[in-house]
Amino acid sequence: MTLEQSSFAKVMGGRAVKRIVFDAETIHARVRQMGAEITAAYPDGDLLVLGLLKGSFIFLGDLVRTIGRPIQIDFLVAASYGSGTVSSGDVRLLYDPETRLEGKHILLVEDIIDSGRTLNRLIELLGKRHALSLELCALLHKHIAPDLKLEPRFLGFDAPPEFLVGYGLDHAENFRHLPFIASLAE
Ligand code: IMP
Ligand code: MG
């Protein structure tokens, strides 16, 4: 951990935080467990860890270092039309992984599952790539997605129905670097 939580008022630039929902120690302990779960779940075969940018970048960085088997890493950039705290509209793939997906176990890593719209679209697209398997790993799940096509096989935490920032999660590109996850005051 590089930042003391007591200094978060400063790092937030005066923006009010309602509360810290998951502190850095809690996150790291759970991420280590998830790495062990993933290691055990894939005894053999090629495993490609596909991080969904930008939100998963810190989670993915911590997670992959706890996976005790060979892996490959690539990224996807998906953007949903519209901005703000409510995700809306269709989903576009802005960056397609250069790594071959065929014949590999694909583990899609997402920061948070909210409406599930992004994931449903991605699962549809990746489902056409002839992977050996396709599973989902999410740090947070709000459990409000009405028709999620694939539930995460690996899940960090159930998330409260609040807008969360930190540990990769942003609000208008701010707060991604916070080592903890906080809910933002309205
Ligand atoms: P979905 O398509 O509605 O599931 O939205 C998924 C994406 O919206 C996530 O990958 C996040 O980037 C973003 N998102 C959803 N909820 C939150 C939140 O509480 N804080 C920050 N970003 C969020
Ligand atoms: Mg986002």
Side-chain angles (χ1 to χ4, degrees):
M1 191 168 101
T2 53
L3 186 72
E4 289 303 318
Q5 281 179 19
S6 56
S7 70
F8 80 76
K10 191 176 171 196
V11 85
M12 295 296 293
R15 179 77 195 253
V17 152
K18 213 191 290 173
R19 66 188 175 101
I20 292 182
V21 181
F22 302 105
D23 64 29
E25 287 73 19
T26 305
I27 295 169
H28 287 147
R30 183 67 194 118
V31 169
R32 269 195 303 277
Q33 288 172 347
M34 294 176 83
E37 288 169 19
I38 291 166
T39 304
Y42 295 97
D44 43 43
D46 290 339
L47 175 57
L48 174 63
V49 178
L50 257 188
L52 194 49
L53 291 176
K54 302 176 203 169
S56 75
F57 84 107
I58 291 180
F59 173 44
L60 185 111
D62 283 346
L63 179 71
V64 293
R65 286 178 286 175
T66 68
I67 297 177
R69 57 106 69 213
I71 59 170
Q72 295 181 326
I73 301 170
D74 210 334
F75 296 94
L76 283 175
V77 182
S80 51
Y81 292 103
S83 58
T85 56
V86 178
S87 78
S88 61
D90 199 7
V91 174
R92 294 171 299 158
L93 256 190
L94 301 183
Y95 172 74
D96 216 11
E98 294 173 1
T99 323
R100 272 189 50 233
L101 307 192
E102 293 79 20
K104 293 175 184 170
H105 295 295
I106 308 298
L107 183 60
L108 188 59
V109 178
E110 168 71 308
D111 53 354
I112 184 166
I113 304 173
D114 185 5
S115 76
R117 216 172 273 128
T118 315
L119 276 178
N120 279 345
R121 186 80 186 100
L122 278 177
I123 287 157
E124 205 176 286
L125 291 171
L126 295 175
K128 296 173 182 159
R129 300 288 186 91
H130 307 290
L132 201 53
S133 68
L134 176 61
E135 299 281 2
L136 203 57
C137 172
L139 180 65
L140 299 158
H141 195 341
K142 288 189 178 171
H143 296 285
I144 56 168
D147 56 353
L148 199 60
K149 290 199 169 109
L150 185 66
E151 282 296 330
R153 173 151 180 206
F154 310 98
L155 175 65
F157 305 100
D158 293 332
E162 295 167 88
F163 196 80
L164 303 176
V165 295
Y167 200 69
L169 296 162
D170 74 304
H171 176 258
E173 297 304 329
N174 296 308
F175 313 120
R176 290 194 198 273
H177 69 306
L178 302 178
F180 49 84
I181 294 169
S183 65
L184 218 50
E186 303 291 316

